[in-house]
Amino acid sequence: MVKARVTETVGALGDYLKEQRTQSRLSLRQLAEQAGVSNPYLSQIERGLRRPSAEVLQQIAKALRISAEQLYIRAGILSPDDGVGGSVELAVLGDTGLTERQKQSLLDVYSSFLALNEADRTSAETPVVSDEPADNDATTALS
């Protein structure tokens, strides 16, 4: 199920990139050259066969003159609810002192913390139902 969602996200990203490229009147080869990636790699991204790193997305966005954050959202790296500017994800992705692997690891840890906190919050909101009968006698409570 998760793999299907990733494949769907990557496919939608590829379609979006191809649409942006054609609107910019760039050939696949021209965009690949401007973004600093190989022609076959860019083709695979557009066809939804490869999931590009945040760095590659940033290079493509720069070549297309579009928002890198939009590409991050479309690629599933950022959540649209995070908001643009000031988010942890954008800070990590923009840090030039980290490798792509380190960036992805940090984003994975951050996402897992958010999911854990959400699960804790959800379970705290769910009322606990006890199998024990309620003792409504006030005198029993005082003794």
Side-chain angles (χ1 to χ4, degrees):
M1 181 178 195
V2 171
K3 187 173 183 176
R5 192 173 23 202
V6 169
T7 304
E8 188 177 298
T9 301
V10 173
L13 172 67
D15 292 341
Y16 178 75
L17 287 174
K18 185 174 184 176
E19 178 183 314
Q20 293 301 310
R21 178 178 59 78
T22 55
Q23 284 181 0
S24 297
R25 293 191 167 91
L26 291 171
S27 70
L28 191 66
R29 191 174 308 274
Q30 289 170 321
L31 179 58
E33 185 178 310
Q34 288 181 21
V37 298
S38 72
N39 189 34
Y41 181 62
L42 183 58
S43 174
Q44 290 174 346
I45 293 170
E46 282 192 359
R47 290 182 290 143
L49 301 176
R50 292 279 191 140
R51 183 177 183 188
S53 68
E55 184 176 320
V56 169
L57 286 174
Q58 189 171 23
Q59 292 167 217
I60 293 170
K62 186 176 178 182
L64 289 171
R65 295 183 176 94
I66 60 175
S67 163
E69 288 80 11
Q70 269 307 109
L71 291 184
Y72 295 154
I73 290 169
R74 289 183 179 271
I77 296 172
L78 287 181
S79 168
D81 300 332
D82 292 337
V84 176
S87 74
V88 172
E89 292 93 337
L90 288 177
V92 169
L93 292 169
D95 192 328
T96 57
L98 298 173
T99 67
E100 284 303 309
R101 184 179 172 121
Q102 290 168 334
K103 290 176 186 181
Q104 192 57 54
S105 295
L106 282 172
L107 292 174
D108 290 344
V109 169
Y110 181 68
S111 294
S112 69
F113 283 154
L114 291 178
L116 182 64
N117 290 345
E118 180 65 21
D120 287 347
R121 186 181 63 76
T122 303
S123 67
E125 292 174 356
T126 306
V128 177
V129 179
S130 174
D131 292 338
E132 303 274 331
D135 188 4
N136 293 333
D137 188 355
T139 57
T140 306
L142 296 174
S143 28

